Structures are given as C-alpha cells and as structure tokens.
Amino acid sequence: MAVTAMSIDNLLPAFPLIQQRFAVEDANSLQLLVYVYMIGFGLAQIVYGPVSDALGRRKVLLASLAIYAAGCGLAMVAPSFEWLLASRVIQGIGAAGGRVLSTAIVRDRFSGREMASVMSLIMMVFLIIPMLGPAIGATMLLLGSWHWVFVSMLALGGILALWFAARMPETLHPEYRRPLSFSATMEALGTVLRTRVAIGYATALGLMTGCIMGYVGSAQQVFDTGLYHLGALFPVAFGLVAGAMGAATLVNSRIVRRLGMRTLSHAGVTAFTAIGLVQVGIGLAYQGQPPIALFLGVLALNQFLISFVMPNFNALALQPLGAIAGTASSFLGFYTTMLGAFCGWLIGRAFDGTVMPVTIGYASLGALSLLVVAWTERGRLYRAGISG
C-alpha cells in the first residue's frame, strides 16, 4: 500500500520540471501521470486475486514488485512524455499486487471488527506516506533532476521486496487454494456480483476514492502553480491534510471494535457530505479563492472524516467473501480503483484556477456515496450488525 502512495505523491513536486522537460502545453495534462498510473493499477487487480488464490500470496506479491521496479527503471530513461506515461502504467500494474494482496492477507487472518481495525492500521501506513511523499520528492529534486524521484520509488520497492521475502510467511492455507481456471474465476465473480453488501460498499468506496483522487490530481495546481503559489511550502500543506487522515485512521482502529464498522462509516459519510456542502458555500463566498488557512482547515476536517469511511467500507465489502478473499479483493479493487480514477479525473480536469471543482466534487460524491449506502442497507443506517 505504501508503494501506491509513494508512486503518486512524491511525483507531484516534479510536475513543473516534467512539463518543462517535455514541453507539455496544458498543465492539466500533467495530471495524466496520476490517472494513467491508476488505470494500470486498477486493471491489473483483476489478475492478481485469482492468481494468488491459486498460487499463494507470497510469490505473487514478489512478482508484482519486480514489475513495479521495471516501470521505475523505464521512467528514469523516458525520452518523451508518452514514454513516461507508459512507464507509469507499468508501475501501476506492479503496484496493484500490493493493493490486492495486502487486503487478501488481512482477510486470510482476520474477520469482522478485528479486520476493520487492522485495515485502519494499514490505511494509516498508506496515509503516512503522503505526509512525507512530496517532501521526499522535493528532496530528490534538490539532487538536480526529476529522474531522482523515480530512484526513490525504486528504492522503496526494493526494500519492501527484501523485507517481504525475508519475513512474511504464506497466509493462504493449502486447503483454501482455488484452481486457476476461467470457470472458477467466473464462479467467484458471480458470487461477488450477487452479494449486495459487497457491491454496495465497493461502489460507495469507489466514489469516496474519487474524492481522494480528485484532490491529489489537483493538489499541485491548487497549492502551488495554479492558485495559492505556496512553492516550497506545498509539501507542508499537503502533509498537514494527510496528517489529519492518518490521525483519524488511528482513532478508527481503536474504536471500531467497540462501535462497529457500520456505525462509524455511516456517521462518517454523513458528516463528510455535510462538510462538503460547507466547502462549496465557502468557495462561493470567496469567488472560488478562499483564504488558504480557511480552505486547508475545512479540507483537513473532511479528510479526517473520510478516514472513518474508507477502511470500514472496504472491510464491510470483503466481510462476506472470506472463502474467495483473493479473487474478491481483486475484483472489488479493480472496480473501486477504476470508479475512483474516473471520478477523480473529472474533478482534476475541471480545475479552473479556483477550489470549486474540488469542493463540488467532494459534496457530490459524498452525497452519492451516502445514497448508495442507504440502498445497500435498505435504508437502515447507523446500526451495528453482527459482523459490522
């Protein structure tokens, strides 16, 4: 999971240099470095789950890290912007293994509220990296070139591969392995599609992921080149918002066992939508350019709330699918990633020099997510079920 965050966030400070190096005319086109990565990341998840259900988690994850390393190497020698975009797709394909298999490993070993607690801790690690990612990227730029940003990604991937090879045991018991065949995969997919809770919470999770992707894709322009012009302080602003998310995931991991996944996530998405509407109101009051302190404060509050939503939605979607954890994680990960990337792309491409696309995106996607959850639970919100 850390590889995914690192691969997105520490590249953001390099956008101006990459734009200059490859003569990219439209600054919004630089957001493709985020979104094509997410396309590779989303599509590849379809493969990792069924393969890991047949072969085991450990060897498949190590193979995915090797693919990620290849993408880093290709990016370091990119002669054109198109080459760089293709390298990002390969990076995403490799990083997808970490997303699918980390989730499957947790489902192999935990269930119910304990699984949600562990998911929150994993999400906290995922969110610590955004606090450091832009700063690491900016530090790499001090070495003289945007190429060094990819060196830092390659180093992280190598460290994780060595640690995993040395310390992580296989978590998929032999009796739970499934044949790697088209019919078995289609059978598992049918099970996922027939499970209302899985599809409903995965859809809601994808919409909330769209908020994150829209924010990340726009962050460099909002905080630096397009609106607030923070310059060297951009990593600080980005890290403060990520810090709010990290703090919330830690709190969630502590209280979810007592209050339950449904109670916390339903309250979180309701409050998120309400604050999203407040964001829109503030943006309109200041013609789309509110004071940076006010915007950061409200944004950090909403990011705090989203951390009570996403890990619990993820756990609720996987909870009834323990028998096919790898394949289920694969399909649901693909679905939520592609939905989130598409929604995020819509928000990012709409950047117009104001905060309005981000604020409207948050309010709209939050409201849609709340409606989907209400459909999933047949209108019975804020209740603690037996498994959540």
Side-chain angles (χ1 to χ4, degrees), residues 7 30 50 64 72-73 83 98 103 149 162 197 224 226 231 235 285 290 295 330 354 356 379:
S7 300
L30 294 169
S64 74
C72 292
W83 178 301
T103 306
V149 176
L162 291 173
V197 168
D224 191 4
F295 177 68
S330 184
T354 74
M356 294 311 299

Side-chain angles (χ1 to χ4, degrees), residues 249-378:
T249 56
L250 179 60
V251 174
N252 183 75
S253 71
R254 299 290 180 86
I255 64 177
V256 69
R257 295 180 184 181
R258 184 173 73 253
L259 298 180
M261 295 178 283
R262 284 179 168 84
T263 300
L264 281 176
S265 62
H266 296 177
V269 72
T270 302
F272 176 90
T273 303
I275 298 300
L277 293 172
V278 171
Q279 279 184 312
V280 173
I282 291 173
L284 291 173
Y286 287 93
Q287 291 76 51
Q289 299 180 358
I292 180 64
L294 177 60
F295 177 68
L296 268 179
V298 178
L299 181 63
L301 176 58
N302 237 349
Q303 299 299 87
F304 183 86
L305 292 168
I306 207 172
S307 296
F308 290 99
V309 177
M310 294 181 68
N312 293 322
F313 278 3
N314 195 29
L316 284 165
L318 280 172
Q319 174 62 23
L321 302 171
I324 51 169
T327 303
S329 177
S330 184
F331 287 134
L332 294 178
F334 159 76
Y335 175 50
T336 59
T337 299
M338 298 305 290
L339 178 58
F342 176 71
C343 293
W345 175 79
L346 291 178
I347 294 172
R349 292 295 294 178
F351 179 75
D352 58 358
T354 74
V355 302
M356 294 311 299
V358 173
T359 59
I360 293 172
Y362 269 44
S364 300
L365 294 179
L368 284 174
S369 182
L370 182 58
L371 289 174
V372 170
V373 171
W375 169 83
T376 303
E377 297 289 351
R378 294 182 169 86

Side-chain angles (χ1 to χ4, degrees), residues 134-147:
I136 294 172
T139 301
M140 293 296 103
L141 294 180
L142 293 177
L143 298 176
S145 171
W146 56 267
H147 299 85

Side-chain angles (χ1 to χ4, degrees), residues 195-242:
T195 306
R196 184 187 185 100
V197 168
I199 291 299
Y201 279 107
T203 301
L205 177 60
L207 294 169
M208 299 303 285
T209 302
C211 296
I212 298 294
M213 296 311 305
Y215 161 66
V216 170
S218 306
Q220 196 275 334
Q221 290 166 280
V222 169
F223 290 131
D224 191 4
T225 58
L227 180 54
Y228 290 115
H229 304 288
L230 294 181
L233 293 178
F234 163 56
V236 177
F238 196 87
L240 287 173
V241 174

Side-chain angles (χ1 to χ4, degrees), residues 33-190:
L33 292 169
V34 174
Y35 298 124
V36 299
Y37 171 90
M38 294 304 296
I39 289 173
F41 181 76
L43 290 174
Q45 291 182 55
I46 298 175
V47 176
Y48 285 114
V51 172
S52 73
D53 276 346
L55 304 180
R57 317 299 188 206
R58 191 172 184 276
K59 63 180 69 174
V60 176
L61 182 53
L62 290 172
S64 74
L65 288 172
I67 296 171
Y68 175 80
C72 292
L74 290 170
M76 289 163 59
V77 298
S80 67
F81 188 61
E82 291 74 20
W83 178 301
L84 185 59
L85 291 176
S87 302
R88 291 290 285 168
V89 174
I90 295 172
Q91 277 190 296
I93 291 171
R99 173 16 178 123
V100 171
L101 295 168
S102 61
T103 306
I105 288 169
V106 171
R107 187 61 189 87
D108 286 341
R109 303 191 62 181
F110 304 99
S111 63
R113 296 181 181 183
E114 188 175 11
M115 179 176 66
S117 178
V118 175
M119 287 285 190
S120 291
L121 294 175
I122 291 176
M123 186 66 70
M124 184 175 66
V125 174
F126 175 73
L127 294 172
I128 287 173
I129 296 300
M131 295 173 64
L132 305 176
I136 294 172
T139 301
M140 293 296 103
L141 294 180
L142 293 177
L143 298 176
S145 171
W146 56 267
H147 299 85
W148 283 92
V149 176
F150 291 99
V151 173
S152 67
M153 297 181 196
L154 182 61
L156 176 62
I159 291 169
L160 289 174
L162 291 173
W163 179 87
F164 202 91
R167 299 294 302 274
M168 190 68 189
E170 178 58 58
T171 61
L172 181 63
H173 297 295
E175 60 268 26
Y176 294 141
R177 297 197 179 193
R178 297 172 57 85
L180 184 58
S181 68
F182 181 78
S183 60
T185 301
M186 289 299 100
E187 179 185 353
L189 175 59

